[in-house]
Amino acid sequence: MEIDDESLRLAASAELPILRLLRRSRLPTWAFGAAWGLLLFGIMVLPYFALDMDPSQQRGVLVSALFFSVSIAIITGAAAPVFYGAANDLRELGPVLSIDGEARECLARGLVRATPGQVRLTLLMGVILGIAHSYLLGHHLLPIAIMLPQIGGTMMLWIFMHMTVVKLIINALVFSRLGAVAEPDLLRPSRHAGFGTAALRPALFIIGTLCAYVLLVIGESRPVAEASWIGAALSVISMVGIVTLPLRGIRRRISERREAILRDLDDRLEAMADRNLGTVPPATLRDMDTILDMRERVAQAPGWPLDLAGVRRILLYIVLPPLTWAAAAIVEMMIDSLV
């Protein structure tokens, strides 16, 4: 696989803005995310203290502030492990990729970087989507003191989410192309497990952001406006592509490699013995037994590039949404006590 000019330009570009901000802050990732969440919460909750509102309006301001602050905290706090983890996954795939170390490092660097043109485009699209979504939600009809924080929070969430998810899709395409030319090791599946991790980690990241939507239904006696779920719907659609793309190529290569090896082993067995096994020499029988054992191991080799640790993480995050609902119930009781 050759490295094209676009990959070289990407590798030479600056890191993603959110990663550069993290480096400059010198904060742990969790503290960086918490700082962003607290900052946004403080801005969006100002109308709660500055305006004379009825309990339902107060509840709406608090719920909205919680939703946006939690969403931003998850994105900013989890982006670095997701992107740097993808780069490390690619580096560890060296044994199954027919590219030299320099080319592999170039691709790995590109997973955490963006060209100036990509940054400007994703920023512009995030602003446009944020304004359009604010209009659909009717933020322009609110009092100005409530309208400005709501529009600002919506735009910020769309900017951060759009810049992050678009890059995750681009990275998924890189792993898809690499998987299509990989040489999987059926006897040592951990060598190509990086493809599974590259699909799993971003999926868990998006699942985490989706859990924040539970906050929108706190204390609501009527259905939440349909426009509020646009972001969630797009996140789910994006997650499908982010998960399937890295696995598509390597899954096909594992299947092709298994069929080729099984075919070669069957040919060797056919050449070693006739139908009457009683006349086969003992040495040949031992060789046949070794080939049969190898054939069984190859036939039972995992067809998915996931290790046991990856499966455990999947099971953990299956439990996450119910835990989020429980946390939402606790938050609802706290809000009730305030209003």
Side-chain angles (χ1 to χ4, degrees):
M1 178 178 176
E2 297 183 357
I3 305 300
D4 55 23
D5 293 338
E6 180 63 26
S7 297
L8 293 174
R9 285 194 298 270
L10 186 59
S13 300
E15 286 188 327
L16 294 167
I18 192 171
L19 301 181
R20 279 182 282 164
L21 288 173
L22 173 61
R23 285 187 181 276
R24 291 173 183 174
S25 71
R26 298 186 179 181
L27 293 172
T29 55
W30 66 267
F32 181 72
W36 273 99
L38 289 173
L39 174 63
L40 188 58
F41 182 81
I43 294 174
M44 297 199 65
V45 81
L46 286 176
Y48 179 86
F49 301 101
L51 300 178
D52 184 17
M53 297 182 292
D54 59 48
S56 64
Q57 290 176 320
Q58 291 178 333
R59 181 187 296 275
V61 169
L62 287 175
V63 168
S64 180
L66 280 172
F67 167 72
F68 284 109
S69 60
V70 169
S71 297
I72 291 295
I74 292 173
I75 295 171
T76 54
V82 170
F83 286 111
Y84 289 134
N88 290 331
D89 289 335
L90 199 153
R91 293 185 179 102
E92 294 174 359
L93 289 173
V96 299
L97 297 177
S98 56
I99 56 177
D100 57 44
E102 183 177 351
R104 191 167 65 252
E105 180 62 25
C106 175
L107 291 174
R109 285 169 57 85
L111 296 181
V112 300
R113 298 171 185 272
T115 64
Q118 289 174 334
V119 173
R120 288 192 296 268
L121 179 59
T122 53
L123 178 61
L124 176 62
M125 290 301 300
V127 170
I128 293 174
L129 291 171
I131 294 175
H133 197 196
S134 293
Y135 180 80
L136 291 175
L137 291 171
H139 289 163
H140 59 290
L141 302 176
L142 299 172
I144 189 168
I146 301 177
M147 176 188 69
L148 293 179
Q150 291 295 319
I151 294 178
T154 303
M155 287 180 57
M156 182 178 291
L157 179 57
W158 272 104
I159 290 171
F160 275 74
M161 198 66 187
H162 188 258
M163 294 184 72
T164 305
V165 171
V166 168
K167 183 60 180 177
L168 290 177
I169 294 174
I170 293 173
N171 290 353
L173 290 170
V174 173
F175 280 100
S176 179
R177 292 194 298 269
L178 291 173
V181 297
E183 298 294 337
D185 190 336
L186 300 186
L187 300 182
R188 290 172 291 184
S190 60
R191 287 192 165 193
H192 52 255
F195 287 102
T197 309
L200 175 63
R201 192 184 289 106
L204 300 182
F205 167 75
I206 294 180
I207 289 174
T209 62
L210 289 173
C211 289
Y213 282 86
V214 177
L215 297 171
L216 292 177
V217 300
I218 292 178
E220 289 290 339
S221 58
R222 54 185 178 181
V224 178
E226 294 180 358
S228 299
W229 301 103
I230 292 177
L234 292 178
S235 294
V236 171
I237 294 172
S238 300
M239 184 174 65
V240 172
I242 289 170
V243 171
T244 58
L245 286 173
L247 301 177
R248 182 179 59 181
I250 188 63
R251 281 266 296 159
R252 184 170 61 251
R253 291 294 295 155
I254 290 174
S255 178
E256 293 172 352
R257 175 59 63 88
R258 178 190 287 113
E259 292 177 2
I261 293 176
L262 292 178
R263 187 165 51 249
D264 291 342
L265 291 175
D266 287 339
D267 291 341
R268 291 181 63 182
L269 287 172
E270 289 291 337
M272 291 177 67
D274 56 25
R275 297 178 179 229
N276 186 5
L277 295 179
T279 62
V280 177
T284 303
L285 286 176
R286 286 193 294 270
D287 291 341
M288 291 176 62
D289 185 62
T290 300
I291 294 174
L292 288 171
D293 180 65
M294 181 61 65
R295 191 187 189 286
E296 184 69 15
R297 291 177 62 186
V298 170
Q300 294 183 357
W304 291 89
L306 293 172
D307 56 13
L308 292 178
V311 174
R312 285 195 296 269
R313 285 194 290 271
I314 291 176
L315 295 177
L316 171 64
Y317 276 82
I318 287 175
V319 180
L320 183 60
L323 291 179
T324 306
W325 281 96
I330 295 174
V331 172
E332 180 176 357
M333 290 187 291
M334 294 175 60
I335 292 178
D336 287 337
S337 66
L338 290 173
V339 299

